[in-house]
Amino acid sequence: MHLARRLPHLSRHCNVRMMKSTAVSTAKSAEEEIVIPNRIQRSSTDILVALSATVGRDPTAPHYKFHDDPFLIPTSNVSKRTFAMAQESGRKAAKWIKEEHRNLFMHQEAQPPIEAFAPKMVFTEESEVTQQTLETLIRRSLLQDAVYVYNLMKTKGLEISAETKQSLLELLSFYNHQEPMPEEYYEERWFKQNNQGQQRQTKTWKDGELAEQIFNEIEPKTTQAYAAVIRGMAKYYQADRAYALFQEALEKQHHLDTSTYNLILSNVNFLKEKADQKWELCKELLQQMKQQQLKPDLGTLNALLECISTFGNYKMGRTCALQVLAEFKKLNVELSLGSYYYVLIIFCRERGPVSHVIVDILNEIQGKEFKIQHPKDTYFFATAMDVCRNHLHDRSLAKKVDNLLHTGNNFDLIGDTYKESVYYRHYFALLCQTCTIDEFLEIYDTLVPNVYIPEPGVMEEVLKMVEVNAAYELMPRLWSDMVIFDHINRESLLLRTLKIMLSNKPDLTKKSEEQLPEQFAKVAFDIYNKVVESEGRAKKLSFTGQMIGDILTLLVRGGNWEKALEVFNNIDKNQHRIPGTPSENCLMEYVEAAIENKSPSQALQCLQYAVENHMDGLSLAQRIHKGFTLNEVHMSKMKSLVGDSFLKQ
């Protein structure tokens, strides 16, 4: 009853409290101001980048440029290049068809139309061209068409503005009158850059071409015209003429920009020979920049470090490099990976004293994510791993370099496939020499074969590691990898493979090693077949007495008597062509197998081979006499070979 009387009062109090709380929340919301955040500029691929960041890199999967099909995934460095260039060739073929049969591709279904999908315009002497046509070609970097249209306009007497001439001059100077490679041919560009990087830097500037003609026509000469020609000549190592034009521009009171000074600094190596002369010219150029109130940038720093890296005097190079780094630190110029690359090659020289500068570099940049700022940025990781392996032989530093590589998107700065291969070549070779077999196999299983395929030299280091650690149970697997990687034409690898299997006789009392003799025999006979098959090829493999003797021994130990008999018949038949002979232990094991298989004729054949090659036949004869019950024919043959001494036991 009491509760029933209190219910109306409770509901009235609740209504009052709800009204008060509603009024308070309304007042707060009126006081709060809605702030719309600033718009963040997004690119068309930001969503894909965000999605890929949630997945990460999968080292067990092939590169995205290869088809995810077991028959189309390359398993050797040669096939990687072949498959990649085959896809590039397909794109070229499609582009050729589009240009040859342009009448079939005149339709434009996309709105707005996509210029890259439309056939390229063909210009003839009858074509109606205007300055806008020339400007469009320059903007799209169609160099050959731009040159043709420019000459056509000159022939027809059409007026060309100074701005358009300047744009064409910059295009010609930048590409050195060569049609730039289309962006979609990135594989060909990578391999081309690799070949150019291995060649010595030489003058490739084309003298007397249209760029110089346009420059001579421009009157009065502008600062931009001087800068374009100087940059082009310096980029393609026409150093003397570039420096002469540079001096002429300064005499005429033209204020050149920082980029032009940077390219002149990068050509100091071609202007002076001695280190002190190079350094004096660098300081002179820096003084001129100061007089013109130009602030040095990252390009200036790297150009100076590049020049210093060519100094033959190690002490002077190190001193100058430290001075430059201190000055640019005061200017708040942040170093790129290319700058650290130059520091490494200045301090860590092959014939110079040992330097631990890489320790300071890694302490400075560990955990940072870098973006491409200079063309030499992609050289850092391969060079740093080279220093860790050959200069310091330090595995812990190599691990730090690898961790830096896999920080954020730093892997994009490893460079092309060649630099990636060099990086992992040094990394694997160092691991083979410094870590345990289990640690190495963990990394090997992660990276091979999709990220890295060991070269023959690295595979030999792996085999040495297996030999030192007596991990002979890995040999069947490693041989399978060598076949897949197409290393079977390397005689040194074949000999070391046979040596490891021969020197480490499996313990048959262990269950885990029961199958090894049979597996070793299969590997040995596979090597035998590979050598026989290579006889008709250009890169021919040839048997040696040691090699074929090791193969024979492994076949005998594996219980494969028929194949052992085939191999020995080859030895006996071609003994005049095979340099060297199998060891006496090899022949003794073959005789033991002949006794076990009750083949006295094969045992006598082995004895005859030993006698003909001036080997010790007495011990073989004694073992044959003891192991067989010989008839008169066999006894007489043995006596004719070794005499009666084997009967005296």
Side-chain angles (χ1 to χ4, degrees), residues 11-78:
S11 62
R12 189 164 54 251
H13 286 302
C14 290
N15 291 334
V16 172
R17 288 175 183 172
M18 289 177 64
M19 290 173 64
K20 288 182 179 180
S21 63
T22 303
V24 171
S25 62
T26 304
K28 286 184 177 180
S29 61
E31 294 175 359
E32 292 178 356
E33 182 180 357
I34 299 175
V35 179
I36 300 176
N38 295 329
R39 181 177 182 271
I40 301 175
Q41 186 67 31
R42 304 287 187 185
S43 68
S44 57
T45 58
D46 278 358
I47 294 178
L48 295 177
V49 172
L51 290 174
S52 65
T54 62
V55 178
R57 294 178 59 86
D58 182 10
T60 62
H63 196 277
Y64 68 88
K65 65 186 174 185
F66 302 119
H67 292 284
D68 193 7
D69 184 280
F71 294 100
L72 298 176
I73 296 175
T75 54
S76 68
N77 289 322
V78 175

Side-chain angles (χ1 to χ4, degrees), residues 1-11:
M1 291 293 292
H2 178 73
L3 181 60
R5 285 195 296 268
R6 294 288 298 168
L7 281 175
H9 299 284
L10 288 173
S11 62

Side-chain angles (χ1 to χ4, degrees), residues 265-269 273-276 278-280 282-283 286 300-328 339 341-347 349:
L265 283 168
S266 66
N267 276 252
V268 169
N269 304 324
E273 293 184 0
K274 296 182 179 180
D276 53 348
K278 294 178 182 179
W279 183 236
E280 288 299 322
C282 288
K283 291 193 292 185
L286 291 175
T300 313
L301 169 61
N302 287 343
L304 287 169
L305 292 175
E306 181 182 4
C307 178
I308 294 170
S309 67
T310 62
F311 289 1
N313 189 329
Y314 171 78
K315 291 183 178 180
M316 181 179 178
R318 184 176 59 179
T319 304
C320 294
L322 292 175
Q323 291 177 2
V324 168
L325 292 173
E327 288 293 329
F328 277 81
S339 310
Y341 156 73
Y342 285 121
V343 172
L344 287 178
I345 62 176
I346 291 170
F347 283 80
R349 299 191 179 184

